[in-house]
Amino acid sequence: MKKSNLIAGVMGNPISHSKSPVLFRYWLEKFKIQGQYVPLKIAYQDLEQVLSTLPKIGFLGLNVTIPHKEAVLEFAEIVTPRAKSIGAANTLTFLPNGGFKADNTDGFGFLANLKEHQQSWRAKKCIPLVLGAGGASRSVISSLLDEGVRLIYVTNRTLERARELKNFFGSQIEVVEWNNKAEILNDINLLINTTSLGMIDHKILDLSLDNIAESATVIDLVYNPIKTQLLKEAEKQGCKCIDGLGMLLYQAVPGFEQWFGVKPMVDNETRKMFLAK
Ligand code: ATR
């Protein structure tokens, strides 16, 4: 029997900036699914009650955005290993017998995007430098380690936060001082910017790529603008460049598939639609 009136949504505070509804509604229409995807502005003090009420009124799951990604974990029935190691969830699925499963698909999105753009990518040969030590950095590091990457250089303006990541993830993390990041470029073949530097209305990332190998890949998680200064510089060096939009789109795939029963595609059409909105 074809299910109808399937409901999911995205929860945050504020929420009006979220572009998840644009993406989910595009896929719903594309697959002719009778479903809805709604933005929900929820205050922290209402979280627990909202999470217990929504499944009763038909919600199948939720995406979670700032500032609730960490807080939802305390109410979850099940926390997936990757959500646990990242310490945050972005995809909640309500369980048939009550409660919900909290998952984090950011790392999945990162890897799916990387593999789409670099089919020859092999974890064992990858030597990455991750710029930044916030939530996005955690997702990237966790997914790279899960995949079998042996050593990850991490640098951050606030060194202490990079050290915390080493304490958390262990000896495969090598902390590099922020002022020394240009020198380490000689030794790596994947550079990932997880900071907000380069984003519209933010400072640019001031990093010369003179030392990077032409065969290296550069990924910027920033997607607004789509071609950041870092990617322009990487292009000049002849590096392979991957923008942040793919990760954003791919991280939505597992939620859509779980709630609406169809695995959506992340193709050029999806990218174009998203950029035009
Ligand atoms: P997210 O969860 O999206 O990763 P976050 O936790 O606020 O967000 O992390 C933002 C990252 O951008 C951090 O690594 C931050 O560095 P600090 O830990 O030193 O704050 C980095 N960042 C933001 N503004 C920066 C700036 N002007 N210079 C260098 N790094 C910056």
mmCIF file of all heavy atoms in Angstrom, residues 20 24-25 60 78-80 89 91 93 116 127 132 134 137 142 155 158-159 181 184 186 194 200 237 261 269:
data_model
loop_
_atom_site.group_PDB
_atom_site.id
_atom_site.type_symbol
_atom_site.label_atom_id
_atom_site.label_comp_id
_atom_site.label_asym_id
_atom_site.label_seq_id
_atom_site.Cartn_x
_atom_site.Cartn_y
_atom_site.Cartn_z
ATOM 1 N N SER A 20 16.961 23.571 3.930
ATOM 2 C CA SER A 20 16.549 22.166 3.855
ATOM 3 C C SER A 20 15.150 22.005 3.252
ATOM 4 O O SER A 20 14.937 21.091 2.454
ATOM 5 C CB SER A 20 16.574 21.522 5.239
ATOM 6 O OG SER A 20 17.888 21.438 5.700
ATOM 7 N N PHE A 24 14.268 19.265 0.306
ATOM 8 C CA PHE A 24 13.344 18.147 0.554
ATOM 9 C C PHE A 24 12.085 18.258 -0.302
ATOM 10 O O PHE A 24 11.585 17.260 -0.824
ATOM 11 C CB PHE A 24 12.996 18.052 2.047
ATOM 12 C CG PHE A 24 14.016 17.281 2.827
ATOM 13 C CD1 PHE A 24 15.238 17.840 3.159
ATOM 14 C CD2 PHE A 24 13.779 15.963 3.202
ATOM 15 C CE1 PHE A 24 16.199 17.122 3.869
ATOM 16 C CE2 PHE A 24 14.733 15.229 3.914
ATOM 17 C CZ PHE A 24 15.932 15.811 4.244
ATOM 18 N N ARG A 25 11.579 19.478 -0.434
ATOM 19 C CA ARG A 25 10.361 19.642 -1.244
ATOM 20 C C ARG A 25 10.643 19.378 -2.723
ATOM 21 O O ARG A 25 9.794 18.859 -3.441
ATOM 22 C CB ARG A 25 9.785 21.053 -1.025
ATOM 23 C CG ARG A 25 9.155 21.190 0.356
ATOM 24 C CD ARG A 25 8.843 22.623 0.694
ATOM 25 N NE ARG A 25 8.374 22.746 2.069
ATOM 26 C CZ ARG A 25 8.200 23.900 2.692
ATOM 27 N NH1 ARG A 25 8.433 25.049 2.070
ATOM 28 N NH2 ARG A 25 7.769 23.927 3.941
ATOM 29 N N LEU A 60 7.714 11.602 11.009
ATOM 30 C CA LEU A 60 8.574 10.419 10.882
ATOM 31 C C LEU A 60 9.994 10.705 11.330
ATOM 32 O O LEU A 60 10.693 9.805 11.797
ATOM 33 C CB LEU A 60 8.599 9.970 9.420
ATOM 34 C CG LEU A 60 7.231 9.593 8.859
ATOM 35 C CD1 LEU A 60 7.279 9.520 7.352
ATOM 36 C CD2 LEU A 60 6.778 8.270 9.457
ATOM 37 N N ILE A 78 18.280 6.024 21.005
ATOM 38 C CA ILE A 78 19.473 5.416 20.404
ATOM 39 C C ILE A 78 20.339 6.538 19.822
ATOM 40 O O ILE A 78 19.815 7.430 19.127
ATOM 41 C CB ILE A 78 19.092 4.469 19.238
ATOM 42 C CG1 ILE A 78 18.181 3.337 19.737
ATOM 43 C CG2 ILE A 78 20.323 3.916 18.545
ATOM 44 C CD1 ILE A 78 17.569 2.501 18.624
ATOM 45 N N VAL A 79 21.617 6.497 20.103
ATOM 46 C CA VAL A 79 22.559 7.436 19.470
ATOM 47 C C VAL A 79 23.505 6.592 18.623
ATOM 48 O O VAL A 79 24.159 5.678 19.137
ATOM 49 C CB VAL A 79 23.354 8.236 20.528
ATOM 50 C CG1 VAL A 79 24.351 9.178 19.858
ATOM 51 C CG2 VAL A 79 22.410 9.029 21.430
ATOM 52 N N THR A 80 23.581 6.837 17.332
ATOM 53 C CA THR A 80 24.442 6.020 16.474
ATOM 54 C C THR A 80 25.910 6.285 16.835
ATOM 55 O O THR A 80 26.236 7.357 17.348
ATOM 56 C CB THR A 80 24.229 6.337 14.975
ATOM 57 O OG1 THR A 80 24.605 7.702 14.757
ATOM 58 C CG2 THR A 80 22.789 6.123 14.547
ATOM 59 N N ALA A 89 23.970 15.529 16.652
ATOM 60 C CA ALA A 89 23.117 14.824 15.683
ATOM 61 C C ALA A 89 22.467 15.829 14.747
ATOM 62 O O ALA A 89 22.182 16.962 15.145
ATOM 63 C CB ALA A 89 22.042 14.033 16.416
ATOM 64 N N THR A 91 20.161 14.278 12.259
ATOM 65 C CA THR A 91 19.081 13.507 11.632
ATOM 66 C C THR A 91 18.430 12.609 12.695
ATOM 67 O O THR A 91 19.080 11.699 13.207
ATOM 68 C CB THR A 91 19.651 12.627 10.486
ATOM 69 O OG1 THR A 91 20.353 13.480 9.573
ATOM 70 C CG2 THR A 91 18.549 11.904 9.723
ATOM 71 N N THR A 93 15.260 10.026 13.717
ATOM 72 C CA THR A 93 14.175 9.204 13.172
ATOM 73 C C THR A 93 13.358 8.663 14.342
ATOM 74 O O THR A 93 13.918 8.034 15.253
ATOM 75 C CB THR A 93 14.746 8.048 12.326
ATOM 76 O OG1 THR A 93 15.494 8.621 11.249
ATOM 77 C CG2 THR A 93 13.638 7.176 11.753
ATOM 78 N N GLU A 116 32.454 11.175 -4.870
ATOM 79 C CA GLU A 116 31.825 11.490 -6.162
ATOM 80 C C GLU A 116 32.815 12.246 -7.054
ATOM 81 O O GLU A 116 32.923 11.985 -8.251
ATOM 82 C CB GLU A 116 30.568 12.334 -5.963
ATOM 83 C CG GLU A 116 29.890 12.663 -7.284
ATOM 84 C CD GLU A 116 29.006 13.901 -7.238
ATOM 85 O OE1 GLU A 116 28.159 14.011 -6.341
ATOM 86 O OE2 GLU A 116 29.178 14.761 -8.131
ATOM 87 N N ILE A 127 46.546 11.768 3.073
ATOM 88 C CA ILE A 127 47.173 12.487 4.194
ATOM 89 C C ILE A 127 46.537 13.881 4.240
ATOM 90 O O ILE A 127 46.924 14.781 3.490
ATOM 91 C CB ILE A 127 48.700 12.608 4.023
ATOM 92 C CG1 ILE A 127 49.292 11.228 3.733
ATOM 93 C CG2 ILE A 127 49.336 13.234 5.278
ATOM 94 C CD1 ILE A 127 50.731 11.277 3.279
ATOM 95 N N GLY A 132 40.463 24.002 11.178
ATOM 96 C CA GLY A 132 39.292 24.215 12.029
ATOM 97 C C GLY A 132 39.098 23.073 13.009
ATOM 98 O O GLY A 132 39.570 21.945 12.772
ATOM 99 N N GLY A 134 35.878 22.919 15.003
ATOM 100 C CA GLY A 134 34.494 22.983 15.484
ATOM 101 C C GLY A 134 33.737 21.709 15.134
ATOM 102 O O GLY A 134 34.335 20.648 14.887
ATOM 103 N N SER A 137 34.520 20.155 11.695
ATOM 104 C CA SER A 137 35.816 19.488 11.714
ATOM 105 C C SER A 137 35.691 18.090 12.339
ATOM 106 O O SER A 137 36.230 17.109 11.822
ATOM 107 C CB SER A 137 36.799 20.348 12.512
ATOM 108 O OG SER A 137 37.968 19.641 12.788
ATOM 109 N N SER A 142 36.063 12.362 12.021
ATOM 110 C CA SER A 142 35.466 11.093 12.396
ATOM 111 C C SER A 142 35.224 10.217 11.156
ATOM 112 O O SER A 142 35.514 9.015 11.159
ATOM 113 C CB SER A 142 34.182 11.395 13.168
ATOM 114 O OG SER A 142 33.287 10.362 13.095
ATOM 115 N N THR A 155 44.726 21.799 12.337
ATOM 116 C CA THR A 155 45.173 23.094 12.815
ATOM 117 C C THR A 155 43.973 23.974 13.104
ATOM 118 O O THR A 155 42.931 23.837 12.461
ATOM 119 C CB THR A 155 46.140 23.766 11.810
ATOM 120 O OG1 THR A 155 46.649 24.953 12.410
ATOM 121 C CG2 THR A 155 45.454 24.114 10.501
ATOM 122 N N THR A 158 42.500 28.650 17.599
ATOM 123 C CA THR A 158 42.611 28.389 19.032
ATOM 124 C C THR A 158 43.180 26.982 19.203
ATOM 125 O O THR A 158 42.474 25.982 19.029
ATOM 126 C CB THR A 158 41.214 28.477 19.700
ATOM 127 O OG1 THR A 158 40.596 29.687 19.265
ATOM 128 C CG2 THR A 158 41.308 28.451 21.209
ATOM 129 N N LEU A 159 44.480 26.938 19.500
ATOM 130 C CA LEU A 159 45.196 25.658 19.514
ATOM 131 C C LEU A 159 44.562 24.640 20.466
ATOM 132 O O LEU A 159 44.497 23.440 20.170
ATOM 133 C CB LEU A 159 46.654 25.918 19.921
ATOM 134 C CG LEU A 159 47.631 24.793 19.635
ATOM 135 C CD1 LEU A 159 47.755 24.534 18.153
ATOM 136 C CD2 LEU A 159 48.992 25.113 20.237
ATOM 137 N N LYS A 181 50.691 26.415 9.349
ATOM 138 C CA LYS A 181 49.900 25.555 8.453
ATOM 139 C C LYS A 181 50.409 25.564 7.012
ATOM 140 O O LYS A 181 50.297 24.556 6.316
ATOM 141 C CB LYS A 181 48.407 25.914 8.523
ATOM 142 C CG LYS A 181 48.049 27.338 8.160
ATOM 143 C CD LYS A 181 46.585 27.554 8.447
ATOM 144 C CE LYS A 181 46.098 28.959 8.142
ATOM 145 N NZ LYS A 181 46.839 30.031 8.840
ATOM 146 N N ILE A 184 53.170 22.826 6.313
ATOM 147 C CA ILE A 184 52.797 21.413 6.312
ATOM 148 C C ILE A 184 52.169 21.000 4.966
ATOM 149 O O ILE A 184 52.036 19.813 4.654
ATOM 150 C CB ILE A 184 51.855 21.098 7.498
ATOM 151 C CG1 ILE A 184 51.860 19.611 7.857
ATOM 152 C CG2 ILE A 184 50.449 21.531 7.237
ATOM 153 C CD1 ILE A 184 52.927 19.296 8.816
ATOM 154 N N ASN A 186 53.360 20.861 2.174
ATOM 155 C CA ASN A 186 54.285 19.977 1.438
ATOM 156 C C ASN A 186 53.978 18.505 1.647
ATOM 157 O O ASN A 186 54.235 17.674 0.784
ATOM 158 C CB ASN A 186 55.716 20.149 2.004
ATOM 159 C CG ASN A 186 56.374 21.380 1.478
ATOM 160 O OD1 ASN A 186 56.291 21.654 0.287
ATOM 161 N ND2 ASN A 186 57.000 22.133 2.373
ATOM 162 N N THR A 194 37.292 23.624 7.205
ATOM 163 C CA THR A 194 36.017 23.486 7.926
ATOM 164 C C THR A 194 35.728 24.750 8.736
ATOM 165 O O THR A 194 34.768 24.774 9.506
ATOM 166 C CB THR A 194 36.040 22.279 8.898
ATOM 167 O OG1 THR A 194 36.829 22.614 10.047
ATOM 168 C CG2 THR A 194 36.604 21.033 8.248
ATOM 169 N N ILE A 200 30.684 34.303 2.963
ATOM 170 C CA ILE A 200 30.224 35.666 2.711
ATOM 171 C C ILE A 200 30.099 36.416 4.049
ATOM 172 O O ILE A 200 29.675 35.826 5.049
ATOM 173 C CB ILE A 200 28.895 35.633 1.916
ATOM 174 C CG1 ILE A 200 28.563 37.000 1.356
ATOM 175 C CG2 ILE A 200 27.733 35.077 2.718
ATOM 176 C CD1 ILE A 200 27.552 36.943 0.217
ATOM 177 N N GLN A 237 46.862 26.531 -8.601
ATOM 178 C CA GLN A 237 47.962 25.591 -8.353
ATOM 179 C C GLN A 237 47.767 24.298 -9.139
ATOM 180 O O GLN A 237 48.608 23.410 -9.071
ATOM 181 C CB GLN A 237 48.030 25.231 -6.854
ATOM 182 C CG GLN A 237 48.303 26.388 -5.935
ATOM 183 C CD GLN A 237 49.716 26.921 -6.090
ATOM 184 O OE1 GLN A 237 50.627 26.202 -6.473
ATOM 185 N NE2 GLN A 237 49.894 28.205 -5.825
ATOM 186 N N GLY A 261 11.397 6.732 2.039
ATOM 187 C CA GLY A 261 11.532 5.430 1.382
ATOM 188 C C GLY A 261 12.168 5.428 0.007
ATOM 189 O O GLY A 261 12.145 4.411 -0.685
ATOM 190 N N GLU A 269 21.337 18.730 -11.614
ATOM 191 C CA GLU A 269 20.016 19.379 -11.593
ATOM 192 C C GLU A 269 19.680 19.837 -10.160
ATOM 193 O O GLU A 269 19.176 20.931 -9.938
ATOM 194 C CB GLU A 269 18.987 18.350 -12.058
ATOM 195 C CG GLU A 269 17.790 18.926 -12.766
ATOM 196 C CD GLU A 269 16.837 17.795 -13.130
ATOM 197 O OE1 GLU A 269 17.332 16.729 -13.561
ATOM 198 O OE2 GLU A 269 15.630 17.974 -12.954
#
